[in-house]
Amino acid sequence: MGRPDVLVVGAGSAGLAAAVAAARRGADVLLVERYGFVGGLATFGLINLLLTLDDGCGTQVVAGLCQEIVDRLDQRGDARAPESREWGSTDAAAVEHWRGWGLIWGAPPDVVRYSVAFDPEAFCDVAIDLLRAAGVRLRLHSWCAHAYAPDGRIAAVVLESKRGREVVQPRVVIDASGDGDVMVAAGAPFASVTIPPHLWFRIGGLDAHNGVGFRTTAPGRVLVPWGPLARRVDPTDPDDLTAAELECRDQVRDAMARIHEAHPGAWLDDIAKMIGITESRRLVGDYVLEKSDGDRRFADAIARTGHWTRREVVFDVPYRTLTTRAVRNLLVSGRCISTSRYVHQATKEIPAAIATGEAAGAAGALAPDGDVHNVDVDALRRDLAAGGAIV
């Protein structure tokens, strides 16, 4: 298929950010996605909440491309978020208002945070506009079948589609697949867990949320965060995942029947087309970000993030959590970066995934010889900051 400067596998929030960031810096970028849409859980997974862009105390810690997406959604009227003057407020009325939008999480005391509710179709449109404007070549309906790295460098990535098998020979590969498909195929070390999945859905016909789910940007529509399933699932086992899909859907139908009984005017709008898998494989990279690293500053930080259920803690994300010595031209972004399970709860969220994706894309474009360990990290940090990212 070609020899792009940067191949990004996975067009979820991390992947689209990586592709846009690399292309804006002049790289020839190919973005590959197995589904027929972009945005991943943020769009067709109906996880329509950006949790969170702040530290829980009124200070923004995620900006850059994530803020640009929020601004574009807001210009369309497809985002709802507290004003900056409300961030950190414990005012009961403000807390209850934003709770109705799904933006209040964690243990008491409850605090208004800079989190955002948005429309998933609008997010998809904004993402496509960004990709087109940056000049990214997008290939949907194609699966990463394998990656060949015979000498510690990915020489070829094999894609599978209805056309058959095709090969891409990129200079740099960014794994934004969520499940670490490329890093595993290339021989990078990783950890893996099983989790109970979710399956969110939306209801129409309710003038207000009436205690059922969260308000949305569309009048009369409510988002219901159903889950988790009462068992753990191996997201990398297709048989287990298939069974979980069916179990989740059956339970959503039961939940909808109960809602309809209490609210006869309500009707099922749609069920997420992606099961809510938020963790599976994680890279064991050049650095593993741990709980004890909270509020620690790193000289090679390329992103920052708060924690959506905990306040007063901010994690610097070192560049080394995106890299592994096992594969010289591979960067990992999104939910499979190198962290402990505790820190993963912060870095898996959409704003953090966009931030690490943006950093990976910029690094991929700046890698002088394709070896991501030769990137000038100080120059990378300056470049990201110049684009509005908080590092």
Side-chain angles (χ1 to χ4, degrees), residues 273-294:
K273 302 305 182 289
M274 286 183 68
I275 192 170
I277 299 296
T278 57
E279 182 180 10
S280 56
R281 301 174 180 134
R282 300 187 314 281
L283 176 70
V284 179
D286 292 327
Y287 188 84
V288 179
L289 194 61
E290 301 279 357
K291 179 180 180 179
S292 59
D293 291 321

Side-chain angles (χ1 to χ4, degrees), residues 20 54 148 150 169 176 179 185 188 199 212 237 309 320 333-334:
V20 169
D54 77 340
Y148 290 97
Q169 294 182 295
D179 295 314
L199 190 65
V212 179
D237 180 336
T309 65
R320 290 164 291 158
S333 65

Side-chain angles (χ1 to χ4, degrees), residues 60 66 79 126-127 132 135 156 179 185 197 239 241 266 283 320 349 371-372:
Q60 185 171 356
C66 187
V126 166
R132 283 175 170 161
D179 295 314
D239 293 321
L241 199 56
L283 176 70
R320 290 164 291 158
E349 291 299 310
D371 189 330
V372 298

